[in-house]
Every structure is written in C-alpha cells, then in structure tokens.
Amino acid sequence: MFADCFSLCFRQLVKTSFHAETAAICADIEKQVDQQFSPAFVKAMSEAGYHYAESVVKDVEAFRKHAKRATAMVDDVKLCARRSRSLHRCLSDFAEQLAATRSGGAVDKSAKTTLDAAAAATSVSEPVVDLSEYDEALYAKEIDDII
C-alpha cells in the first residue's frame, strides 16, 4: 500500500515539475517570437512531452535489461533517439561535451564528420542513471513532507 502511494505521489511530483518546466520554456519562447500560447496549449505540450519521456525511460530500461546491466548508459538513450536525426545529433553533442568535461580536455570537432563518429566519443561505461544510488527512503521522506 505504501509503495503504491509513494509511486503515485512521486509520479505526480515529477509530472508537476515537468509541467512547470514546460510552462517556463513556453514563456521564454513567447518572448522570443512575440506570440502567446494558451494555457491549453502549454498543458498539451506538457502532457505530450511527459508521455514521450515516459516511453523513452521504458525503452532505456528495456535496453539496459537486454544488455544485462544494472546501470542505464548514454548509449541506451542514444538508441532511443536513433530515428530522430536532430535529437540523435543533440544527444551526441551532449555526450561529447560530457566526455570532454570528464576528461578535462576539449574534443576536436573537426575530426568528427558523422553522427557515428560523434557517438563513438562517448564511452559505453558512462552511466546515465546509477540504480545503486537510488534511495527510496529519501524519496519517501520527500513525499511525506509534501503530503
């Protein structure tokens, strides 16, 4: 019973945070393009984005299980984006910056001419989410504070 309540409360907390971030992004875009979005539009974008993110998380989990690993990796996320060239490029650039930050050096972009080469810059061992650090008690306390 507690686990179900915890899961529902945590999901609602994440969904509320996602909606707030979507509203903030929409507000920034409104300023840039000098146009207003209706609250219904913002809500629809938030719901669509949340459900898309939820499906990506499920896919990443399936890739992690298929590889028999306890940790989801950057490459698992990039596999989810393989059908969207622009999203894959964005994730590859992010992974490249992350690898450069971790190594303390800059990555030579001129040597990388394809998405596959950019993807190769990221080590398969870089975790996205380390499940060993998941602290259910901490999240349960945060949910109790909200309730």
Side-chain angles (χ1 to χ4, degrees):
M1 171 89 178
F2 174 75
D4 292 338
C5 181
F6 169 76
S7 178
L8 181 65
C9 290
F10 185 72
R11 180 177 289 241
Q12 191 59 41
L13 178 66
V14 170
K15 205 170 191 178
T16 301
S17 297
F18 198 93
H19 180 69
E21 286 300 315
T22 303
I25 291 168
C26 286
D28 288 345
I29 293 172
E30 283 177 336
K31 291 175 187 172
Q32 292 173 4
V33 298
D34 195 30
Q35 184 177 351
Q36 287 190 335
F37 299 124
S38 70
F41 172 83
V42 174
K43 178 74 172 160
M45 287 298 296
S46 175
E47 284 295 316
Y50 180 81
H51 288 291
Y52 179 73
E54 202 171 39
S55 72
V56 168
V57 168
K58 288 176 184 175
D59 288 347
V60 166
E61 179 66 7
F63 295 145
R64 180 196 65 79
K65 282 183 180 178
H66 178 73
K68 297 178 175 75
R69 287 186 271 105
T71 304
M73 304 298 201
V74 171
D75 287 343
D76 297 328
V77 178
K78 290 192 313 192
L79 273 172
C80 292
R82 68 189 178 277
R83 291 189 185 123
S84 171
R85 187 171 284 236
S86 62
L87 181 57
H88 190 275
R89 187 176 304 118
C90 179
L91 287 170
S92 293
D93 289 347
F94 173 76
E96 190 174 297
Q97 290 171 356
L98 183 64
T101 301
R102 287 184 178 175
S103 68
V107 176
D108 180 16
K109 288 197 174 226
S110 64
K112 296 179 180 24
T113 57
T114 66
L115 289 177
D116 292 334
T122 305
S123 169
V124 176
S125 64
E126 291 181 26
V128 174
V129 177
D130 186 352
L131 299 179
S132 66
E133 294 179 12
Y134 176 74
D135 188 355
E136 188 171 326
L138 175 66
Y139 293 122
K141 182 186 178 320
E142 289 177 2
I143 296 301
D144 286 341
D145 291 344
I146 293 168
I147 299 173

